């Protein structure tokens, strides 16, 4: 009983997501794609009632102290499509999204040791492998 309540707010949805994805894809689970989602996927965008979206997210996803990170607010299917028909080729393994995506870029301020977030709607560049995103590169 206390066990369930003590889960960090964002952890349980991630566990459910992992279970759902493992079931939904009949193929071997791709660990790198799993890491990509953990690092960059937040859909729907988590509540930001007190203006600390980036601090909260970077903490919960265990990336606090990292210089910068971008979260993508879109369904997994739309993100994956960038690796297929929803994207155009760039450098080797890179795909440029055709459509703009709702994203939040979090940047660490090493003086205040807090994150500042900027929300954009931009085309994004991903590293893909076998039709799945493995890394976020940048927005364009
Ligand atoms: C802001 O809200 C988040 C999520 O509810 C919470 O984890 C965090 O402690 C809050 N921060 C402050 C300064 O209230
Ligand atoms: C970083 O934080 C310090 C202290 O709060 C502030 O003076 C400075 O302007 C911030 N730097 C940037 C790039 O926002």
């Amino acid at each position: 009983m206390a066990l369930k309540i003590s889960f960090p707010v964002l952890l349980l949805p991630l566990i459910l997501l992992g279970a759902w994805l493992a079931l939904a894809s009949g193929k071997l689970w791709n660990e790198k794609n799993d890491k990509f989602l953990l690092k960059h996927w937040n859909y729907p965008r988590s509540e930001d009632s007190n203006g600390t979206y980036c601090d909260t997210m970077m903490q919960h996803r265990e990336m606090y102290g990292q210089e910068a990170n971008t979260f993508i607010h879109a369904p997994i299917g739309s993100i994956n499509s960038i690796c297929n028909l929803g994207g155009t080729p760039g450098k080797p393994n890179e795909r440029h999204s055709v459509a703009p995506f709702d994203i939040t870029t979090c940047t660490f301020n090493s003086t205040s040791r807090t994150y500042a977030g900027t929300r954009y709607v931009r085309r994004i560049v991903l590293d893909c492998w076998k039709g799945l995103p493995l890394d976020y590169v940048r927005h364009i």
Side-chain angles (χ1 to χ4, degrees):
M1 29 137 214
L3 185 68
K4 204 171 187 179
I5 294 161
S6 72
F7 267 120
V9 184
L10 297 175
L11 195 57
L12 190 57
L14 280 174
I15 290 167
L16 293 175
L17 161 72
W20 178 82
L21 284 171
L23 288 172
S25 75
K27 56 191 169 186
L28 185 69
W29 180 242
N30 185 320
E31 211 174 292
K32 283 188 175 173
N33 180 243
D34 192 7
K35 282 187 186 147
F36 164 83
L37 292 173
L38 186 63
K39 214 177 153 187
H40 299 292
W41 186 58
N42 180 227
Y43 180 77
R45 193 182 195 263
S46 300
E47 290 277 335
D48 183 21
S49 49
N50 56 16
T52 60
Y53 174 83
C54 281
D55 286 311
T56 306
M57 288 298 292
M58 294 302 279
Q59 239 157 36
H60 285 177
R61 300 289 177 96
E62 298 184 347
M63 291 186 281
Y64 211 86
Q66 186 176 301
E67 198 181 324
N69 189 62
T70 296
F71 293 100
I72 308 168
H73 317 299
I76 289 179
S78 310
I79 298 171
N80 286 353
S81 80
I82 296 169
C83 298
N84 298 292
L85 294 176
T88 56
K91 288 183 196 159
N93 299 328
E94 279 187 11
R95 305 282 300 175
H96 295 203
S97 75
V98 172
F101 279 75
D102 181 11
I103 60 174
T104 301
T105 295
C106 301
T107 312
F108 193 56
N109 180 329
S110 52
T111 307
S112 62
R113 300 201 62 78
T114 58
Y115 283 89
T118 310
R119 198 165 178 178
Y120 303 98
V121 177
R122 294 282 168 81
R123 293 173 62 209
I124 58 176
V125 180
L126 302 179
D127 265 333
C128 294
W129 187 73
K130 290 194 177 176
L132 285 178
L134 296 194
D135 220 342
Y136 177 88
V137 181
R138 63 183 189 278
H139 63 73
I140 49 180

